[in-house]
Structure formats: C-alpha cells, structure tokens
Amino acid sequence: MKKFGRWIARLIAILTMTLVLVGCGEDEAWKKWTTEQMAIEKDGQVVYCVVDSFEKNFYDLEELTGMAVKEVAQFNGANKTGDTTPATILEVARLTEDENAVRVAYQFDKGSTCGSFLGVPLYYETVEETFEQKHVFTGTVLYDKEGSITLDEPNKVKLRTKHILVTDFKGVIHLPEEALYYTNGVKLLSDGIDTTGCEDTVIVILKK
C-alpha cells in the first residue's frame, strides 16, 4: 500500500506540473533564448526566462520542475486577486547547446507582477498612468537618435497615450513597439533594448 501511495503522489505531482506548464506554440521566440531575457507583449503580459547551470549528476529535470512549480504556486497564493493568475510556468527544459544549462520560462499577467517576482521595479503602462502613479517625475530627460527631450507638461500631454516602460531590470528586453525615447545608456536592438550598461532606472517611451 505504501508503494501504491507513493505512486499516486508522484502521479498527482506530474499532473500538477502538466497543468502549470502551459507552454505556447513552437514558434515562440523565447524558446530560442539561451540567456536571461524578457519580452513585454502588446497586451502587457511579460515573458521572462532565466537560464542557469545545474549539473545532471545533482539535479534531474523533474526535480527542478517541481521546485519551479512550488515557487510559482507560493507566489500566486500570496499575490492572486480576482480570477487572473499572476504567474505561470511556460517551460522547464535543458538547452541543447549545453546539457547542464536549464531554461525556466515564466509568463506574468503584467509588468508589476513580474517586477514583484524578480524583486525589481517593472512598470508597463501609458505615460499618463505612470505620472499619476509617480513612477516617473516631471523634468526627466530622455534621449533619441537626434537629441533629447524633457518631460515637461507640454511633452507629457503630447505623449500621454504612448506606452512607457520603467524598470531596474538589467538585461535584454524585447518590446512590442519601437523605442521612441529612452534614458542614457540604453542600447537599441532590432526588437527591443539592452539595459545591461545602465546604472540608473531605465525609462523607455514606445512608439505606441
């Protein structure tokens, strides 16, 4: 009976992992990431991938998956409000390039949820909303390819409906739209930005 009980417990754990590991289509861009990165999606959801090394002699994939599932379950239990699930695990998988490297992919319902999970500020909202919430302050200087602008009252009104990203996350961030204005040190990429070289909070206003 004890052996049967352990088998049932194992089956329940696997089923739980299957339900949480929702996974997207095979063409998802994050499936090619081999370093820590995140993507802001058009609907405001965030996909975040962390890549770390775990030697196969010490950890198997099922054990790592169980640890990730437990972590997300605890986070959701402490942060869920209403019917929306704050965080979901998309995948726990070893990289083909390095059998000791494991990629864990998460999806968050919004930027602030991802920021809370990572322990850094992360907001994705309109310019108007970010000033109302005091995530950005009047007088902030941002740059583009031609020079700089100051977020004074006329510019705040002009840009109020455009989306803005405010974060202390340092790394590659894929964006749903082209970066229009950004803080000093931000490196532009074909589909986003690299904030690795930024010392201060990163602020990016998007084209839409």
Side-chain angles (χ1 to χ4, degrees):
M1 288 296 292
K2 287 184 178 180
K3 185 176 181 180
F4 179 74
R6 287 196 298 271
W7 181 84
I8 290 294
R10 185 180 180 86
L11 178 61
I12 292 173
I14 292 172
L15 288 173
T16 301
M17 293 175 194
T18 303
L19 290 172
V20 177
L21 297 170
V22 176
C24 296
E26 290 301 319
D27 59 344
E28 291 295 328
W30 57 263
K31 287 182 176 289
K32 299 179 181 179
W33 297 351
T34 57
T35 59
E36 181 185 26
Q37 300 181 43
M38 72 167 58
I40 311 294
E41 301 182 336
K42 285 189 175 182
D43 59 2
Q45 293 189 81
V46 179
V47 173
Y48 167 71
C49 287
V50 60
V51 178
D52 211 338
S53 294
F54 298 92
E55 292 203 19
K56 296 174 71 174
N57 293 337
F58 297 98
Y59 294 94
D60 61 32
L61 201 59
E62 185 177 315
E63 183 179 2
L64 291 171
T65 301
M67 292 166 60
V69 168
K70 183 178 180 181
E71 179 186 32
V72 167
Q74 290 175 340
F75 178 81
N76 286 340
N79 293 275
K80 186 172 183 178
T81 57
D83 297 329
T84 303
T85 301
T88 303
I89 298 176
L90 298 177
E91 178 187 67
V92 180
R94 291 195 180 275
L95 302 185
T96 55
E97 298 85 349
D98 180 358
E99 63 179 8
N100 288 328
V102 175
R103 177 179 56 229
V104 183
Y106 305 85
Q107 186 168 51
F108 299 92
D109 64 334
K110 55 187 177 182
S112 58
T113 304
C114 180
S116 178
F117 186 82
L118 298 179
V120 298
L122 179 58
Y123 306 105
Y124 178 72
E125 54 208 353
T126 65
V127 169
E128 187 172 44
E129 289 169 338
T130 206
F131 274 96
E132 288 176 353
Q133 298 298 322
K134 293 184 171 51
H135 297 150
V136 174
F137 297 95
T138 300
T140 299
V141 177
L142 299 176
Y143 300 85
D144 63 8
K145 296 176 182 178
E146 299 179 353
S148 64
I149 66 166
T150 300
L151 293 180
D152 53 17
E153 289 302 325
N155 278 325
K156 283 163 56 178
V157 173
K158 179 182 176 181
L159 300 169
R160 68 184 186 280
T161 61
K162 296 188 182 299
H163 281 83
I164 187 170
L165 172 66
V166 183
T167 186
D168 280 352
F169 175 80
K170 300 301 187 289
V172 172
I173 305 175
H174 303 274
L175 300 173
E177 297 289 345
E178 180 183 349
L180 190 61
Y181 300 106
Y182 36 86
T183 45
N184 194 29
V186 169
K187 180 181 179 181
L188 298 181
L189 305 175
S190 60
D191 67 341
I193 57 173
D194 185 346
T195 65
T196 305
C198 299
E199 296 181 359
D200 301 318
T201 296
V202 172
I203 302 171
V204 180
I205 296 180
L206 279 61
K207 194 172 182 178
K208 294 183 181 179

